[in-house]
Amino acid sequence: MSDAPVQETAGPIRFPITRTCPFAIPETYARLRDEEPVSRVEMSDGRHAWMLTRHADVRAALVDPRLGSDRSDPGFPSISSGGKSAFAHFAPFMISLDGAAHSAARSPVISEFSMRRVNTLRPRIQQIVDEAIDKVLELPRPVDLVQHLALTVPRLVITERIGASPDYLERFYALAAGMLRRSTTGEERDAIAREMRANMDRLVAEKEADPGEDLLSREIARQRAETGDVDRPGLASLAQLLLLAGHESTSEMISLGIVTLLTHPEQLAKMVADPGRTPAVIEELLRYFSVVEIGMGRVATEDVELGGVRIKAGEGVIASNVAANRDPLAFPDPDVFDPDRDARQHVAQGHGPHQCLGRNLARVELQTVFDTLFRRIPDLRLAVGVEELPFKYDALVYGLRELPVTW
């Protein structure tokens, strides 16, 4: 695309590595995977970290207890300007904990996202999707499916799960958009983090004063019963993590999935004819795009060897799920979108102890959207050419800004 940024090739490799093509990943990943699978990259603060590009190495790293997740550690990779300092405004996030501390934070809420629990939400998710598509059908064409479907569904689902109204969180999502822009300065990101923390503190206070049938209310009640007190800073961090992780990647996968299926009509026809194929389509979409790479940083807590390279204690590591999910040793013809392959070993949502907490919920949302949308609007088509679509080449989570469609 003509307005896509160009990745610099001279000098040290900067991370994140900018995409320049809607469906392809930068050639840099393949070159490093072939020539230097454990390579040095320069982070946003000018420091260096080791980047892993082979699928086997990435999976091994994500289960290695010698690679820690503490984002306050000086050696932890700085992926965005001011990103590490922004974390200081919150109590440690679950994704920044390891070992017993991580288990203690994750265990109380993991049942909220179990497959059994998520299955009980299917009727409500279906209702949310149907209502969103009802509105889409009433709008003048072309309709932007990012605004009226891809953003709407995940946001409403996760806000209901934690017990906050979409109106209350309107400011949160505006702040989140700024937080996830690569161009946001360190000072701007710090200010955003401060306001996000204040926003989440207000939410926790509201749930304490007026509890409901939601995750935050249940967690407040559990803490009071077990300790006699409420960990308000910890709950603010939990709410922040769930709201951000619970909508952004799923929203982007909805819009990218729609574009991909519309540009692969033979695969779309197979899925529509046999909805039993939808889960396999979703796994391949997750592998194919790997929209979130910012959460795969680690820091060595002791010397460790990965891919034949000795990484010293205190050095940062980037486990690149983007590169790993296009590794031909794990996925033959990896640059081909092929739902007939077995893509379940992808690492788009992590691997090991820190694998995405909401992965079951995300899959059900994606399945409900794809099955419902193409059933209800069978002649859906892009209103512009793919080359005209505004892809988020400058974002920390890859996706689309707009998706105009017609029928």
Side-chain angles (χ1 to χ4, degrees):
M1 295 179 63
S2 60
D3 60 346
V6 177
Q7 176 69 31
E8 295 290 339
T9 56
I13 296 170
R14 298 292 303 274
F15 188 90
I17 300 172
T18 303
R19 306 191 196 210
T20 59
C21 178
F23 305 117
I25 67 170
E27 183 276 338
T28 302
Y29 284 118
R31 177 173 58 80
L32 291 177
R33 193 173 53 235
D34 293 340
E35 300 174 3
E36 194 180 0
V38 183
S39 52
R40 299 284 273 178
V41 292
E42 183 177 313
M43 307 308 297
S44 65
D45 58 359
R47 299 183 63 176
H48 289 81
W50 295 99
M51 185 169 73
L52 314 176
T53 51
R54 287 182 179 169
H55 184 265
D57 291 339
V58 167
R59 285 177 66 89
L62 295 178
V63 296
D64 195 319
R66 297 169 297 179
L67 296 177
S69 305
D70 183 2
R71 282 154 173 76
S72 67
D73 189 296
F76 193 91
S78 180
I79 293 174
S80 60
S81 177
K84 290 181 69 173
S85 62
F87 275 90
H89 297 297
F90 286 85
F93 289 92
M94 186 188 305
I95 57 173
S96 295
L97 302 173
D98 292 301
H102 177 252
S103 296
R106 187 177 173 106
S107 295
V109 295
I110 195 168
S111 63
E112 298 278 354
F113 298 94
S114 68
M115 199 67 242
R116 176 178 295 182
R117 187 60 175 266
V118 169
N119 278 334
T120 68
L121 302 175
R122 284 182 183 270
R124 176 55 182 151
I125 294 172
Q126 183 67 62
Q127 182 183 12
I128 290 171
V129 172
D130 279 329
E131 290 174 353
I133 295 176
D134 286 344
K135 292 181 180 178
V136 165
L137 290 169
E138 294 171 357
L139 292 169
R141 287 170 266 180
V143 178
D144 176 16
L145 288 189
V146 168
Q147 186 65 36
H148 297 288
L149 183 65
L151 286 175
T152 301
V153 172
R155 287 184 179 182
L156 188 52
V157 170
I158 195 60
T159 53
E160 288 187 0
R161 294 294 295 130
I162 72 164
S165 70
D167 290 342
Y168 176 83
L169 291 167
E170 182 178 353
R171 180 58 180 160
F172 171 86
Y173 288 120
L175 292 168
M179 182 68 78
L180 293 171
R181 278 196 297 268
R182 291 191 192 182
S183 59
T184 298
T185 66
E187 292 78 9
E188 290 170 337
R189 193 165 271 113
D190 185 80
I192 289 171
R194 289 175 184 272
E195 189 171 347
M196 280 184 154
R197 170 62 193 273
N199 203 25
M200 291 301 97
D201 284 344
R202 288 193 296 271
L203 175 59
V204 172
E206 287 185 10
K207 299 313 298 180
E208 279 195 88
D210 185 20
E213 294 296 323
D214 54 76
L215 186 154
L216 272 184
S217 296
R218 286 189 288 272
E219 190 61 9
I220 288 169
R222 181 193 67 80
Q223 291 184 5
R224 280 178 173 158
E226 292 182 1
T227 69
D229 198 4
V230 176
D231 177 11
R232 296 175 183 86
L235 288 175
S237 291
L238 176 64
Q240 166 89 353
L241 177 64
L242 294 178
L243 286 169
L244 192 58
H247 92 277
E248 185 68 28
S249 59
T250 306
S251 294
E252 304 300 3
M253 284 308 307
I254 288 173
S255 57
L256 290 171
I258 292 170
V259 171
T260 305
L261 288 166
L262 289 176
T263 54
H264 292 76
E266 70 290 348
Q267 295 293 351
L268 174 58
K270 290 180 182 180
M271 188 188 77
V272 171
D274 178 12
R277 291 176 56 88
T278 307
V281 170
I282 291 169
E283 296 306 321
E284 176 66 352
L285 285 168
L286 291 168
R287 178 202 72 84
Y288 191 64
F289 285 109
S290 306
V291 297
V292 181
E293 191 167 13
I294 57 176
M296 306 285 272
R298 297 291 186 270
V299 59
T301 58
E302 59 181 273
D303 290 1
V304 57
E305 184 174 308
L306 287 168
V309 173
R310 187 174 184 81
I311 297 172
K312 297 179 181 179
E315 293 186 321
V317 175
I318 296 291
S320 174
N321 57 353
V322 172
N325 285 338
R326 296 289 184 107
D327 185 347
L329 293 179
F331 307 103
D333 297 322
D335 297 326
V336 175
F337 173 69
D338 179 13
D340 290 322
R341 81 168 82 241
D342 184 356
R344 289 175 296 176
Q345 295 301 307
H346 68 75
V347 287
Q349 296 171 309
H351 177 60
H354 285 279
Q355 190 173 26
C356 176
L357 182 68
R359 62 190 182 278
N360 293 325
L361 182 60
R363 283 168 168 81
V364 170
E365 290 180 55
L366 290 168
Q367 182 176 11
T368 307
V369 168
F370 294 153
D371 285 346
T372 307
L373 176 66
F374 293 111
R375 172 176 52 81
R376 293 192 58 185
I377 314 180
D379 50 351
L380 188 75
R381 64 183 187 276
L382 296 177
V384 299
V386 172
E387 68 281 357
E388 299 176 70
L389 293 173
F391 289 88
K392 292 183 178 180
Y393 294 112
D394 61 344
L396 294 173
V397 179
Y398 183 60
L400 276 163
R401 287 190 172 78
E402 296 178 1
L403 177 53
V405 298
T406 190
W407 54 90

